[in-house]
Amino acid sequence: MTATSPPEPTERQVVVGSFGWNLGEIGEGSPVVLLHGWPDAWRLWRYQLPALAASGRRAIAPDLPGLGRSARPGSLDGYRLDRVAAAVLELLDALGIERCAVVGHDWGAAVAWVLAALAPDRIERLVAVSVGHPGAFAGAGSAQRQRSWYVLWFLFPGVAETVLSAGSFGGLRRFLAAASNQVEDADLERQVADLSRPGALAASLSWYRANFSPETFLVDERPALPPVRCPTMGIWSSGDVALTEQQMTGSARFVEGGRWRYERLEDVDHWIPVRAAQSLNELLLDFFSEG
């Protein structure tokens, strides 16, 4: 008997109002929405989607605005966390999803925190991978600001685009490789191919320009969000060069009712969904099965 490969997610376009979403989807049952970050697309979750479907869940991973094959908002406002969260809720409406669990990585985790805080009736569980609550991130001190040095560089239109696109996007390849512990990295090549499309790099940097300012590096300015009331799990990896553990563990104080769980992965870089896919899958399935 030959082993069969797990089914592949279906990729499709969903138009909500005037906005075109691209997404991967698989399975039936209780819905789980997975949100990627920069500079990724829904295929970051290619190992989680089949595992969630096999456990009896409907797993949906959209390309976030300005990334992957989804539409690019025409102004910076369209990349603000609250605006993206509102757009995700409109997508859920279009997909017929009233309540769901949400899993986010990088910028997707930031959106997931905002969703859970502002739409508690829609989000039943939250998993934040790598990036902690926006308030915990803002309050993580100088160590986190030092690791976020590149954000200041990204804020100036034209500067980052020129450096990162130089040498057939060799600058982008080197920048991403510095955050990876891989000698050969197919995901890096996919990310570079995505962002080398006309206009894609500038659109992707809009996430930083809409949600940060130079003052971010001088003032501890914490966003005003209601507490998160659903069961929440934060996952951080010790090999992440961009994010401190404190910005994740400090998220506990923004989760109401002691419904916080923290998991640390050793010797894994920033891209947990692909570098530690099995470990992440096991954590997700365990967390979603908790009473």
Side-chain angles (χ1 to χ4, degrees):
M1 182 180 293
T2 58
T4 58
S5 300
E8 287 287 321
T10 299
E11 184 172 20
R12 66 186 179 107
Q13 290 276 328
V14 177
V15 177
V16 181
S18 61
F19 190 86
W21 292 90
N22 186 66
L23 57 83
E25 183 177 19
I26 188 172
E28 297 179 354
S30 180
V32 181
V33 175
L34 301 101
L35 306 175
H36 66 83
W38 188 89
D40 269 300
W42 74 261
R43 291 189 184 279
L44 174 77
W45 304 108
R46 63 189 179 275
Y47 299 118
Q48 286 70 52
L49 291 165
L52 289 166
S55 73
R57 291 171 172 83
R58 179 187 180 189
I60 303 134
D63 288 342
L64 287 179
L67 294 161
R69 303 287 169 173
S70 285
R72 301 169 187 169
S75 68
L76 285 184
D77 270 357
Y79 296 88
R80 281 174 26 197
L81 291 178
D82 58 338
R83 294 291 183 88
V84 177
V88 171
L89 291 175
E90 291 175 355
L91 174 62
L92 296 183
D93 291 340
L95 296 175
I97 296 172
E98 184 175 346
R99 283 175 58 80
C100 67
V102 64
V103 182
H105 176 253
D106 193 84
W107 275 113
V111 175
W113 281 109
V114 173
L115 274 171
L118 297 182
D121 57 323
R122 306 294 299 272
I123 308 301
E124 58 187 20
R125 284 181 185 266
L126 164 65
V127 179
V129 184
S130 300
V131 171
H133 187 280
F137 183 93
S142 60
Q144 181 56 58
R145 291 189 180 94
Q146 289 170 12
R147 292 202 188 193
S148 298
W149 64 269
Y150 62 93
V151 174
L152 190 59
W153 171 39
F154 282 1
L155 295 184
F156 297 95
V159 177
E161 288 92 330
T162 298
V163 175
L164 293 173
S165 65
S168 299
F169 286 82
L172 176 62
R173 185 174 283 104
R174 288 189 295 274
F175 177 78
L176 294 175
S180 167
N181 59 15
Q182 305 295 301
V183 176
E184 295 184 6
D185 190 346
D187 280 278
L188 185 152
E189 297 305 321
R190 174 182 56 77
Q191 292 161 346
V192 171
D194 261 0
L195 295 193
S196 61
R197 292 174 295 137
L201 178 58
S204 78
L205 294 174
S206 295
W207 279 84
Y208 297 90
R209 294 164 185 170
N211 295 290
F212 284 98
S213 69
E215 289 76 18
T216 303
F217 291 81
L218 300 173
V219 180
D220 179 2
E221 186 177 343
R222 307 187 188 196
L225 288 171
V228 172
R229 295 184 173 86
C230 65
T232 302
M233 177 167 65
I235 304 170
W236 178 83
S237 50
S238 64
D240 196 320
V241 300
L243 295 155
T244 64
E245 188 170 21
Q246 181 183 349
Q247 58 83 40
M248 181 60 78
T249 56
S251 302
R253 67 181 180 274
F254 298 96
V255 180
E256 192 173 79
R259 310 175 82 182
W260 165 255
R261 172 176 168 180
Y262 173 60
E263 298 288 344
R264 173 185 167 122
L265 300 178
E266 299 295 339
D267 302 320
V268 178
D269 69 22
H270 179 66
W271 282 278
I272 292 173
V274 293
R275 306 288 193 249
Q278 185 61 33
S279 295
L280 178 57
N281 289 351
E282 291 172 358
L283 288 172
L284 292 177
L285 297 182
D286 180 66
F287 181 62
F288 291 151
S289 67
E290 290 179 352

